């Protein structure tokens, strides 16, 4: 029905008949039934009325003077303004040919005079119902078309947002990884200094290890979109769980010391040393939880990391060996507990949501709110779940479990315990071109390569690289991909095009800070032989040059460290600062007794003295017992003497 109908009006009907009596009868009948009726007596009036009034239906007589019903219908159907109005012919003509003609010119129905009122009403209502349904269908189709248009707009907007996000992630990847490349690279360069003392060398190693952890965290945050898209899977590899925990304890011990926190790692004896799961994701989960524990624990508090096997009867002590391994799939439960500020019950439900921070987190003004989200998703990918128990002012306990399999020692990657210190004799002088717009990165390459015996030149953009390649003919080019003036990929294309004309092929290896795998195809397609991601290890550079140029090195061998069968966190030597902080809290007479026992090489007495504080000062007691196990009475004497002075 049209918009000008009232609630009582069942429809607007135009009646066309040259007989006034017929008009009167039909008008009265239809008006009584709730229809709004208008009548006209010839074809011309009918066409004008249809154009001006837009009726819902027309009852049209056939035999009329000047213009019969067939012609009227033909003209109505030819006019877009009236073509959709249904026309029911009503006539005394009863021949089949008359009816066929009526339908051919556009009629929807045919009523023969004399008619029955009930039949007319039924046919009218039938056609109006068809019109209503048709209108609903058109309206719905219009809505669907609009929805399709809106959805297309939304998809285009989402695609634009996704592209913007990808570009942002790529830019952030480059901006974060480029300076980190210099930090990690120069720690490797500095560690070559033969005059460097053992303490400073260890400091450099700690910086390097912490930088590697930072790099992995950056990569994980940059990959959050991939996590959400469900395209990051499980990368299961065999590794040494004890070594991983050693590294984490060393990494967080200094942070704990600065807040006078007691950091304790406790691992049940039946937890296997060698396991197979996603080491990288497990490391990230533990780093996130330990980092939060330290952040939200007040000075003087305590933090524990515990690991245990779940769902198995604990073996007797005689059955436990230090490097036991599971015989089948196992579930390891990790718990990080602290005595920190705690979490309100109302905040726990949203604790693992992205970008959500607790009130304590907001007050700390530190972090993005992604750590626990990433942790939960990683735990789920590793086949486990995570939960938390907490109370305001008392602390929190995060527990998660993961599925693990027995680790295969032969599959583990063993780091090369050697360092290149020069080139073997009887080799050509290798010319290496370092191309990077970042001065620190160029300097890093020079300091890594020149001392070994390579001849190195620098270029700060692609244009300079092409010019130096033409004039100097390097054997290999280390090429950054993102540079001003001319980027690395365009430089490679120009070099490859010129090589086809006159010169032999130069080895070109791209240096990229991108974390995206799709960049690999683009880099290789441009003409690069290989690519290395920043930050890189110096050994990676040397290995690539050996592969592509056949370079032979002279190596400095390092002492073989091997894989200790015992947990390092039970026997590691803590730094002096660790002991000094805790010894300063002890009674002077107790420290004096321990000094005298160590000075007199009385190991048994020293053990008894340390045992007296096991319950009240367990962290210090355990660390001193580690020294006693290693027969380090000399160090205990130095530490206690320093504390007494």
């Amino acid at each position: 029905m049209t918009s000008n109908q009232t609630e009582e009006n069942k429809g607007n009907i135009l009646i066309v008949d040259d007989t006034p009596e017929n008009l009167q009868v039909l008008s009265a009948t239809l008006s009584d039934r709730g229809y709004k009726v208008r009548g006209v007596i010839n074809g011309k009036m009918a066409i004008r009325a249809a154009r001006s009034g837009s009726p819902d239906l027309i009852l049209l007589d056939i035999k009329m003077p000047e213009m019969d019903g067939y012609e009227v219908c033909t003209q109505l159907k030819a006019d877009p303004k009236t073509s959709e109005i249904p026309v029911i012919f009503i006539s005394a003509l009863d021949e089949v040919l008359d009816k066929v003609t009526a339908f051919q010119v556009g009629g929807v129905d045919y009523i023969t005079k004399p008619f029955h009122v009930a039949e007319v009403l039924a046919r009218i209502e039938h056609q109006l119902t068809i019109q209503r349904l048709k209108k609903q269908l058109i309206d719905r189709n219009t809505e669907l078309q609009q929805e399709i248009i809106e959805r297309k707009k939304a998809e285009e907007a989402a695609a634009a947002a996704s592209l913007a996000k990808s570009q942002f992630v790529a830019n952030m990847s480059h901006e974060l990884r480029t300076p980190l490349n210099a930090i990690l690279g120069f720690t490797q360069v500095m560690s070559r200094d033969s005059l460097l003392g053992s303490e400073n060398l260890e400091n450099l190693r700690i910086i390097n290890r912490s930088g590697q952890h930072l790099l992995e965290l950056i990569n994980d945050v940059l990959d959050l979109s991939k996590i959400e898209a469900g395209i990051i899977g499980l990368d299961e590899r065999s590794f040494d769980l004890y070594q991983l925990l050693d590294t984490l304890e060393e990494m967080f011990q200094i942070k704990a010391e600065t807040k006078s926190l007691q950091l304790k790692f406790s691992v049940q004896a039946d937890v296997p040393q060698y396991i197979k799961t996603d080491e990288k994701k497990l490391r990230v989960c533990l780093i996130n939880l330990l980092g939060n524990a330290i952040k939200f624990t007040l000075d003087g508090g305590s933090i524990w990391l515990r690991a245990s096997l779940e769902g198995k009867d604990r073996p007797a002590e005689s059955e436990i060996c230090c490097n036991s391994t599971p015989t089948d799939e196992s579930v390891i439960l990790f718990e990080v507990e602290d005595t920190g500020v705690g979490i309100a019950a109302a905040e726990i439900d949203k604790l693992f949501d992205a970008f959500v921070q607790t009130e304590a987190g907001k007050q700390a003004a530190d972090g993005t709110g992604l750590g626990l989200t990433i942790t939960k998703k990683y735990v789920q990918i590793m086949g486990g779940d995570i939960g938390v128990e907490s109370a305001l002012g008392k602390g929190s306990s995060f527990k998660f479990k993961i599925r693990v399999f027995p680790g295969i020692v032969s599959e583990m990657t063993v780091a090369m315990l050697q360092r290149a210190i020069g080139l073997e004799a009887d080799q050509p002088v290798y010319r290496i071109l370092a191309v990077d717009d970042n001065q620190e990165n160029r300097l890093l390459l020079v300091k890594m390569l020149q001392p070994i015996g390579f001849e190195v030149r620098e270029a700060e953009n692609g244009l300079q690289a092409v010019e130096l390649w033409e004039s100097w003919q390097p054997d290999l080019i280390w090429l950054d991909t993102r540079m001003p003036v001319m980027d690395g990929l365009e430089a490679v294309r120009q070099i490859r095009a010129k090589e086809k004309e006159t010169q032999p092929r130069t080895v070109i290896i791209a240096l990229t800070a991108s974390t995206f795998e799709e960049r690999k195809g683009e880099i290789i397609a441009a003409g690069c032989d290989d690519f290395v991601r920043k930050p890189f290890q110096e050994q990676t550079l040397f290995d690539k040059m050996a592969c592509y140029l056949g370079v032979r090195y002279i190596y400095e061998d390092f002492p073989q460290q091997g894989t200790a069968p015992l947990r390092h966190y039970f026997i590691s030597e803590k730094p002096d600062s660790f002991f000094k902080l805790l010894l300063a809290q002890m009674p002077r007479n107790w420290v004096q007794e321990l000094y005298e026992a160590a000075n007199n090489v009385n190991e048994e007495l020293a053990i008894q003295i340390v045992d007296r504080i096991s319950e009240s000062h367990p962290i210090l007691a355990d660390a001193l017992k580690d020294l006693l196990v290693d027969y380090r009475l000399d160090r205990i004497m130095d530490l206690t003497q320093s504390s007494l002075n």
Side-chain angles (χ1 to χ4, degrees):
M1 284 184 275
T2 58
S3 60
N4 63 346
Q5 291 174 241
T6 64
E7 192 170 312
E8 294 78 15
N9 181 18
K10 295 174 66 176
N12 297 331
I13 298 178
L14 175 64
I15 304 174
V16 186
D17 199 312
D18 63 334
T19 305
E21 293 80 4
N22 291 340
L23 279 177
Q24 186 178 0
V25 170
L26 282 171
S27 295
T29 301
L30 295 176
S31 295
D32 290 343
R33 299 301 194 279
Y35 293 100
K36 185 176 180 180
V37 181
R38 180 180 179 182
V40 296
I41 60 174
N42 61 54
K44 290 182 179 180
M45 293 176 65
I47 292 171
R48 286 197 299 270
R51 288 175 176 170
S52 61
S54 298
D56 297 310
L57 184 140
I58 298 174
L59 289 176
L60 180 61
D61 189 19
I62 295 176
K63 293 188 69 175
M64 294 183 295
E66 297 183 14
M67 185 184 298
D68 65 16
Y70 296 140
E71 180 61 25
V72 172
C73 187
T74 300
Q75 291 194 26
L76 289 173
K77 296 303 174 182
D79 187 343
K81 195 171 182 180
T82 57
S83 62
E84 297 299 322
I85 302 173
V87 176
I88 297 178
F89 285 98
I90 184 165
S91 174
L93 299 175
D94 196 22
E95 297 296 329
V96 173
L97 182 60
D98 297 317
K99 295 178 181 179
V100 170
T101 303
F103 286 112
Q104 286 176 340
V105 296
V108 296
D109 206 345
Y110 195 102
I111 301 173
T112 305
K113 297 177 183 178
F115 51 78
H116 295 284
V117 171
E119 179 187 3
V120 173
L121 293 174
R123 290 180 183 272
I124 289 173
E125 182 57 37
H126 176 66
Q127 289 302 324
L128 291 179
T129 299
I130 291 174
Q131 288 302 106
R132 285 194 295 269
L133 293 174
K134 183 178 179 181
K135 185 177 183 302
Q136 290 174 7
L137 184 61
I138 292 172
D139 290 344
R140 180 55 183 157
N141 185 56
T142 303
E143 290 176 7
L144 289 174
Q145 291 295 330
Q146 188 61 35
E147 287 179 12
I148 291 171
I149 292 171
E150 294 299 326
R151 184 173 298 178
K152 187 175 181 181
K153 289 180 180 178
E155 289 174 352
E156 290 173 352
S162 178
L163 178 61
K165 180 179 178 181
S166 296
Q167 290 172 341
F168 170 77
V169 171
N171 289 335
M172 287 302 296
S173 171
H174 186 267
E175 295 302 321
L176 290 170
R177 292 161 67 89
T178 295
L180 193 55
N181 181 58
I183 293 170
L184 294 177
F186 278 105
T187 61
Q188 298 171 63
V189 171
M190 292 174 66
S191 66
R192 288 179 172 275
D193 189 347
S194 59
L195 300 178
L196 202 65
S198 59
E199 184 176 350
N200 285 332
L201 185 61
E202 180 58 28
N203 291 341
L204 280 175
R205 289 173 180 163
I206 291 173
I207 292 171
N208 189 273
R209 283 194 293 271
S210 297
Q212 293 293 340
H213 285 300
L214 176 61
L215 171 62
E216 290 167 1
L217 288 174
I218 289 172
N219 290 342
D220 291 328
V221 173
L222 293 174
D223 281 344
L224 182 61
S225 58
K226 294 182 180 179
I227 298 174
E228 292 172 341
I231 57 178
I232 287 188
L234 190 64
D235 182 17
E236 290 184 320
R237 299 184 183 184
S238 296
F239 65 95
D240 187 336
L241 175 62
Y242 297 177
Q243 187 178 56
L244 170 61
L245 295 175
D246 286 347
T247 306
L248 293 180
E249 189 194 23
E250 181 181 53
M251 177 180 173
F252 284 101
Q253 187 63 59
I254 296 175
K255 293 182 181 180
E257 287 177 15
T258 60
K259 296 181 67 174
S260 301
L261 302 176
Q262 293 185 351
L263 179 63
K264 178 70 174 178
F265 280 37
S266 173
V267 181
Q268 296 292 347
D270 58 347
V271 172
Q273 179 174 357
Y274 305 115
I275 63 174
K276 187 172 186 177
T277 185
D278 195 319
E279 180 183 11
K280 176 183 174 183
K281 291 181 177 61
L282 175 57
R283 181 191 293 112
V284 169
C285 294
L286 293 174
I287 286 175
N288 286 339
L289 296 179
L290 287 168
N292 282 348
I294 288 178
K295 183 193 306 183
F296 298 117
T297 301
L298 300 178
D299 292 6
S302 300
I303 297 166
W304 296 269
L305 185 150
R306 303 184 183 94
S308 59
L309 276 185
E310 186 183 70
K312 289 195 173 185
D313 295 332
R314 302 198 58 78
E317 289 295 327
S318 60
E319 297 174 348
I320 297 173
C321 64
C322 60
N323 60 348
S324 60
T325 58
T327 57
D328 203 347
E329 176 184 323
S330 304
V331 174
I332 297 182
L333 174 66
F334 293 92
E335 178 183 8
V336 176
E337 182 182 359
D338 63 63
T339 58
V341 296
I343 305 164
E347 296 180 312
I348 287 182
D349 289 342
K350 296 183 178 180
L351 193 61
F352 295 100
D353 293 347
F355 303 107
V356 172
Q357 290 182 308
T358 62
E359 284 302 315
K362 294 174 184 176
Q363 293 172 12
D366 185 17
T368 61
L370 290 176
L372 289 177
T373 304
I374 293 174
T375 299
K376 181 177 181 178
K377 291 181 182 295
Y378 277 0
V379 168
Q380 290 173 340
I381 289 173
M382 289 186 286
D385 52 34
I386 185 170
V388 58
E389 296 176 359
S390 186
L392 278 177
K394 295 183 179 180
S396 305
S397 173
F398 287 82
K399 296 180 181 180
F400 71 88
K401 59 184 74 172
I402 59 170
R403 295 183 303 106
V404 302
F405 295 91
I408 302 172
V409 179
S410 61
E411 292 180 356
M412 298 184 193
T413 302
V414 180
M416 293 290 292
L417 298 177
Q418 57 183 10
R419 170 183 287 166
I421 57 175
L423 300 177
E424 286 187 7
D426 301 324
Q427 294 189 84
V429 177
Y430 293 105
R431 294 185 299 276
I432 309 297
L433 177 58
V435 187
D436 200 310
D437 63 315
N438 185 285
Q439 183 180 2
E440 289 80 6
N441 285 340
R442 295 198 309 274
L443 181 60
L444 173 61
L445 287 168
V446 171
K447 287 186 173 292
M448 281 184 172
L449 302 179
Q450 271 187 348
I452 303 300
F454 295 102
E455 186 176 341
V456 185
R457 289 195 184 180
E458 305 173 47
E460 60 184 39
N461 58 59
L463 184 60
Q464 289 184 9
V466 175
E467 292 171 350
L468 264 172
W469 170 80
E470 289 181 311
S471 62
W472 190 51
Q473 283 297 287
D475 298 294
L476 183 144
I477 301 175
W478 289 108
L479 183 68
D480 186 29
T481 55
R482 294 180 53 164
M483 296 179 292
V485 183
M486 181 189 292
D487 67 28
L489 298 187
E490 178 58 28
V492 126
R493 294 187 191 102
Q494 292 196 15
I495 289 173
R496 294 305 185 210
K498 293 175 184 294
E499 282 177 338
K500 293 178 182 177
E501 300 170 4
T502 57
Q503 299 167 342
R505 183 181 176 90
T506 302
V507 177
I508 302 177
I509 303 178
L511 292 171
T512 174
S514 173
T515 61
F516 294 100
E517 276 297 328
E518 54 266 29
R519 286 281 289 168
K520 178 179 179 180
E522 181 185 359
I523 289 168
I524 299 301
C528 292
D529 296 283
D530 205 340
F531 79 105
V532 170
R533 285 197 179 94
K534 300 175 183 176
F536 48 76
Q537 296 291 324
E538 62 177 17
Q539 189 61 45
T540 303
L541 301 188
F542 296 147
D543 288 346
K544 293 291 185 185
M545 289 187 289
C547 174
Y548 286 99
L549 300 180
V551 180
R552 304 188 308 278
Y553 302 102
I554 301 171
Y555 291 99
E556 172 190 22
D557 290 327
F558 292 149
Q560 181 71 30
Q561 295 176 349
T563 306
L566 297 176
R567 296 178 178 87
H568 175 264
Y569 42 82
F570 286 155
I571 61 173
S572 60
E573 275 193 22
K574 311 294 183 186
D576 287 357
S577 58
F578 170 85
F579 288 98
K580 288 177 181 178
L581 184 67
L582 296 177
L583 286 170
Q585 302 171 13
M586 301 300 296
R588 184 177 177 83
N589 62 334
W590 182 89
V591 178
Q592 182 69 42
E593 287 181 37
L594 183 58
Y595 166 75
E596 291 174 358
N599 190 40
N600 294 327
V601 198
N602 191 336
E603 182 182 353
E604 187 172 337
L605 177 59
I607 292 173
Q608 294 174 4
I609 295 170
V610 171
D611 280 341
R612 295 209 305 261
I613 66 163
S614 291
E615 291 187 4
S616 57
H617 298 82
I619 301 297
L620 176 59
D622 287 348
L624 290 171
K625 287 177 181 178
D626 289 343
L627 293 178
L628 289 168
V629 168
D630 285 346
Y631 306 103
R632 293 303 308 275
L633 286 171
D634 59 324
R635 185 143 189 257
I636 292 176
M637 184 180 69
D638 291 339
L639 290 167
T640 50
Q641 185 178 35
S642 176
S643 180
L644 291 168
N645 292 337

